[in-house]
Amino acid sequence: MKTPDRMRLALATLLMATAGQAAAADYVQAPGSTLVFASNYQDETFTGRFGSFTTTMSFDPKQLATSKLDVAIQLAGTQTGNKDRDDTLVSADFFNVGKFAQARYTATKFRALGGNQYAADGTLTLRGASKPVMLTFTWTHGAQPVLTGKATVKRLDFGVGGGDWADTSTIPNEVAISTKVVLKPKP
């Protein structure tokens, strides 16, 4: 076999070997995305929105092993429609935005749940504490894919609403998180 033929054969073998190892597609958050939470205070349900958030994601349903999710959440500006509650949420008793301006959720482990349903086994860092949090989500394909997900966060694991606010008969420990992230290809 001539040397150029050997080089072509080696190149073809290398391309075939790496073809199955393609990385997930890279995305960034697009307009129209939401990140909200719901809880109760003295048996009254309320919802709120975080100040802002930024999502980057590498995801391909056929390449879950190479998928990644990173969400940076700005806590200042969190709103529930009640000024007293909003002021309390950003105070030292809850989010303590003076010391911890941002929360972060990261995930590198993904599981298929059937159909277009998935779970991300990730870590939430909030108020200096990092704890595992599972995000279950629906993945809708398209030019601008959409991740629609839900998670439950135990606020006391992060010191949110400790002290006088730790009474779970006043405010439950579990906080429901819902998100709709519209994505676009990373430039």
Side-chain angles (χ1 to χ4, degrees):
M1 196 180 273
K2 295 178 183 176
T3 302
D5 289 337
R6 286 184 186 162
M7 290 177 68
R8 283 188 204 111
L9 180 60
L11 181 58
T13 302
L14 178 63
L15 289 173
M16 287 173 43
T18 59
Q21 300 173 0
D26 291 332
Y27 300 101
V28 294
Q29 183 177 312
S33 300
T34 58
L35 180 61
V36 298
F37 60 93
S39 188
N40 291 294
Y41 175 67
Q42 296 179 334
D43 295 324
E44 177 189 335
T45 300
F46 66 92
T47 60
R49 292 183 181 272
F50 292 100
S52 65
F53 70 107
T54 305
T55 306
T56 57
M57 186 171 195
S58 293
F59 188 77
D60 181 337
K62 295 177 183 169
Q63 299 290 333
L64 294 179
T66 60
S67 295
K68 298 177 191 172
L69 174 62
D70 183 31
V71 184
I73 306 158
Q74 303 307 314
L75 300 172
T78 298
Q79 296 182 353
T80 65
N82 177 299
K83 183 175 176 1
D84 290 338
R85 184 170 37 234
D86 296 350
D87 291 345
T88 301
L89 282 175
V90 298
S91 74
D93 288 334
F94 281 83
F95 294 146
N96 195 4
V97 298
K99 187 173 181 183
F100 304 103
Q102 175 177 281
R104 182 168 233 115
Y105 181 77
T106 58
T108 57
K109 294 181 182 176
F110 292 80
R111 295 177 281 128
L113 302 177
N116 61 345
Q117 304 287 315
Y118 300 89
D121 296 308
T123 301
L124 176 64
T125 301
L126 174 63
R127 287 183 52 111
S130 295
K131 303 286 181 181
V133 171
M134 181 178 65
L135 172 71
T136 56
F137 65 94
T138 300
W139 179 258
T140 304
H141 299 279
Q144 287 196 307
V146 178
L147 177 154
T148 306
K150 295 182 179 193
T152 299
V153 173
K154 293 185 176 183
R155 67 180 179 87
L156 295 175
D157 288 354
F158 299 93
V160 174
D164 292 340
W165 298 103
D167 181 358
T168 57
S169 67
T170 303
I171 303 173
N173 189 26
E174 292 81 15
V175 177
I177 308 293
S178 299
T179 190
K180 176 185 173 188
V181 185
V182 179
L183 297 158
K184 62 184 180 183
K186 185 176 181 180

